[in-house]
Amino acid sequence: MKLSEELVSRGQVKDKTFADISWLDTPRTFYLGADCSSDSLTIGNLATYMLARRLRKHGWKAVLLVGGATSLIGDPGGKESERELQSREQVQKNVAGIKAQVQQLFSDMDFTLVDNYDWFSDVKYLEFLRDVGKHYSMTELLQRDFIASRIGEGGSGISYAEFSYSLIQGYDFWHLYKKHGVELQIGGSDQWGNMLSGVPLIRKKESKEVHALSAPLVINKATGKKFGKSEDGAVWLDPNKTSIYQFYQFWLNVDDEGVEDYLKIYTNLTVDEIDSVVQEFQADKSSRKAQKTLAYEVTKIVHGKSETDSVVKATQVLFGGSDYETLEESDISKLKAELPTVNISSSSSLVDGIVELGLAGSKSEARRFFEQGSIYVNGVAATLEFEVKNADLLANKYLIIRRGKNNNAILIVNN
């Protein structure tokens, strides 16, 4: 399948500056930039990086940019008000975090990683105005949606710094064209106004036609809202912000309506492989085959196979009936970050432990749960007479306690 056909079939083409989609089928060099207003990408960003992977797979050379310079200004795209400026030290920290994630996402591919601070730190203001600013019409800039919405009636206004952001991004494209031969910029459709800045600049400065391509924002079909947020907010690629367990669970619980689209956008599976998964899912939706495949494939891309296999094992033990004794220390560590955890001594009463874990409000209530058969230790119904034995301990020190169907917690038993 040609690149153009694949991108269309995966729903990853929205705006483009070239008339014929087949222009994409001749490999050249592209670039994708990342805003570094945070030290982590989100799954919203991930969609565009998956687009970048597809270009790379089809022979395109990749230049992946982190915005060490542009993040000092703040991207106004998609924002209703002025961003709060971050210090150079904070932006450097953010850049380091984004670089590490980009390297993980492209660990199996060759690419060039650049930071626009490396060239912008030497750009002089008067030279920038003459070499770049002279080639932009104020009329055109003011008509761009993200600027017009800020300065129109009811808008919050926009500073000259953020207004100038498009020119800076245009300069980036021009610099990368001269240094790396970049002929295409890609990004999300919310970046389209900024992405258009480099195309006319290079045409005027270099008499060369270059292009831009945007992918549509991913929409949750069940809600009609932008995809990529959980009840706790954004879903991050950084496991310190969104744990691997939470990350996996997010994908495992996506809606039936959109799961086929998510498989096409967010996984490395071929279109034929996705069709096969979807057919099996449609035949028996209760199996959640599509969600399980999606969760595994995306988590593997972001966090690696070993971490993914570990969180899958832990999930299957808690919710799929797998044997608790298969859990190792690394698997339980994933659960410790998510479940209530309490230390007890081996001589302690299990009733006391259940109260400390918050699975019961009092000792009398805990005893009643035992009598009702609602308390499980490592998946097995327990009685009031249960005594902790070394043979019961998972990884030599843990007991996983469950009350009812879904209330899980961990006891760490100290001998």
Side-chain angles (χ1 to χ4, degrees), residues 127-145:
E127 291 177 358
F128 182 80
L129 290 179
R130 290 176 61 87
D131 293 341
V132 179
K134 190 68 175 176
H135 295 284
Y136 287 90
S137 162
M138 285 291 294
T139 303
E140 178 190 348
L141 291 173
L142 289 169
Q143 290 173 345
R144 293 188 177 177
D145 289 344

Side-chain angles (χ1 to χ4, degrees), residues 1-2 5-12 50 53-54 57-58 259-279 290 293-294 297 300-301:
M1 183 182 290
K2 294 180 179 178
E5 295 170 342
E6 179 176 355
L7 295 187
V8 170
S9 70
R10 290 182 183 269
Q12 288 197 285
M50 294 305 295
R53 282 185 58 88
R54 295 194 172 101
K57 185 187 73 173
H58 282 271
V259 69
E260 181 176 359
D261 290 344
Y262 309 147
L263 281 163
K264 290 178 177 178
I265 293 168
Y266 285 105
T267 77
N268 290 324
L269 298 178
T270 67
V271 174
D272 288 342
E273 288 171 334
I274 292 170
D275 288 342
S276 177
V277 169
V278 171
Q279 285 178 14
T293 302
L294 174 69
E297 294 296 329
K300 184 173 65 173
I301 290 168

Side-chain angles (χ1 to χ4, degrees), residues 12-85:
Q12 288 197 285
V13 175
K14 187 177 187 298
D15 303 300
K16 52 186 176 62
T17 55
F18 42 90
D20 188 348
I21 190 71
S22 65
W23 182 84
L24 290 170
D25 297 328
T26 300
R28 300 171 175 86
T29 303
F30 75 90
Y31 100 90
L32 168 61
D35 174 53
C36 297
S37 57
S38 172
D39 59 358
S40 175
L41 299 169
T42 68
I43 61 172
N45 305 125
L46 179 60
T48 315
Y49 279 96
M50 294 305 295
L51 170 61
R53 282 185 58 88
R54 295 194 172 101
L55 268 71
R56 185 67 193 86
K57 185 187 73 173
H58 282 271
W60 281 72
K61 293 181 180 179
V63 177
L64 305 177
L65 178 148
V66 291
T70 37
S71 299
L72 291 169
I73 303 301
D75 178 6
K79 300 297 179 184
E80 295 180 355
S81 59
E82 196 83 5
R83 286 176 183 259
E84 184 176 341
L85 290 178

Side-chain angles (χ1 to χ4, degrees), residues 76 141-152 158 163 166:
L141 291 173
L142 289 169
Q143 290 173 345
R144 293 188 177 177
D145 289 344
F146 64 92
I147 293 178
S149 64
R150 293 270 289 273
I151 63 175
I158 188 170
F163 178 82
S166 285

